[in-house]
Amino acid sequence: MRHLLSVQDVSENDIFALLQLATEFQKNKINSVNQKIAVNLFFEPSTRTKLSFMVAQKKLGFESLDFHQETSSVQKGESFYDTVKTMEAIGADLLVIRHEDDHWPDRVKDHVSIPIINAGAGKIEHPTQCLLDLLTIYQEFGTFQNVRVAIVGDIIHSRVAHSNADALHRLGADVYLSAAPYFQDNTFSYPYITIDEAVRTCDVIMLLRIQHERHDCFTGGIENYLEQYGLSEERGKEMKKSAIILHPAPVNRDVEIASNLVESRQSRIFKQMSNGVYMRMAIMTLLLQEWGIKHENIIEKRQQFRTNKQTGTM
Ligand code: CP
């Protein structure tokens, strides 16, 4: 894995390596090493992704640089491409990028010599959210095989849905979709079920935020959305006792989910946020290792790395 631009590029081996590494970070088993510079280039708003990347970078001992589009030379007309190239030129070791363009990775991935992490590309990809969701599901069920996951909500505008559906399917989960007719994306091959069927039969109810900022074509109202299509308190009672609720957040309380369910026994919404830090530590570590920018920092493997180097077996 040279960059993390799409979940489709992450092999199953790398997914399980990331799940293990994130869990080891969670248990504090791994020390951080020498300082590197990570630049966080967010051209769209973010709370969780940007700040959890920054927390992860600090835990790894990185110098973490924040970028503010509104006070940058973007305001003087500097392009996205030139902004990215500038970060590389001034010494960034790693870039974390979010941009509204669905296809921004294609504009830069072959033109920089440092790893790039996709922190959100338009409506198409949010791979780090996907990987932290995978961690949360795996820690709950210990497997993906035959875990029934319903992705529910504004599917057509959701990069989270697009990243998660295929990754979950690839790992053996049974993926279902549930959405109001105006939020359905019929390019997916997964079956649509009603929200009532989803809550009765699924192990994971993965809710999506209504993405008002991406509704350039959709002008419909969302009156009675919770009652018709959302996870209401009544539907919460119909869930399997072992089932969990996920939501990438930010949450529209009482729109896609009843406010009381956000912090309910079955909700893992805040666990997802905590897991985001450890998964992002794992992703950055793996990428820097792949590029040879940072040596292995698990103590046993580092010793092995030294031994191999001394014996010339590398
Ligand atoms: N889940 C997520 O991407 O949240 P932010 O937009 O706050 O980063």
Side-chain angles (χ1 to χ4, degrees), residues 42 45-50 98 119 126 129 159 248-250 280:
F42 280 66
S46 170
T47 297
R48 269 149 298 277
T49 310
K50 180 155 94 168
R98 171 176 287 190
H126 196 347
Q129 179 71 45
R159 53 193 173 210
R280 287 168 177 133

Side-chain angles (χ1 to χ4, degrees), residues 161-192:
H162 287 88
S163 285
N164 266 302
D166 289 342
L168 282 161
H169 172 70
R170 192 149 55 99
L171 293 165
D174 298 328
V175 177
Y176 299 89
L177 306 174
S178 180
Y182 42 85
F183 287 152
Q184 292 183 7
D185 180 344
N186 293 317
T187 63
F188 278 119
S189 55
Y190 307 104
Y192 278 93

Side-chain angles (χ1 to χ4, degrees), residues 231-278:
L231 187 62
S232 60
E233 284 200 58
E234 293 68 33
R235 289 196 182 103
K237 292 180 194 143
E238 297 294 312
M239 287 175 59
K240 290 158 77 171
K241 294 293 169 243
S242 57
I244 59 170
I245 301 166
L246 302 184
H247 190 309
V251 174
N252 294 311
R253 285 180 183 247
D254 290 326
V255 179
E256 60 260 356
I257 178 171
S259 185
N260 283 346
L261 294 179
V262 174
E263 289 147 271
S264 63
R265 181 187 66 79
Q266 285 169 284
S267 170
R268 299 292 179 274
I269 296 173
F270 291 95
K271 177 89 187 297
Q272 285 172 275
M273 297 178 204
S274 307
N275 277 347
V277 172
Y278 304 114

Side-chain angles (χ1 to χ4, degrees), residues 150 152 176-179 184 191-202 205 228-229 235:
V152 180
Y176 299 89
L177 306 174
S178 180
Q184 292 183 7
Y192 278 93
I193 58 176
T194 65
I195 179 67
D196 291 303
E197 187 179 348
V199 295
R200 283 198 307 269
T201 63
C202 288
I205 304 296
Q228 283 190 281
Y229 302 111
R235 289 196 182 103

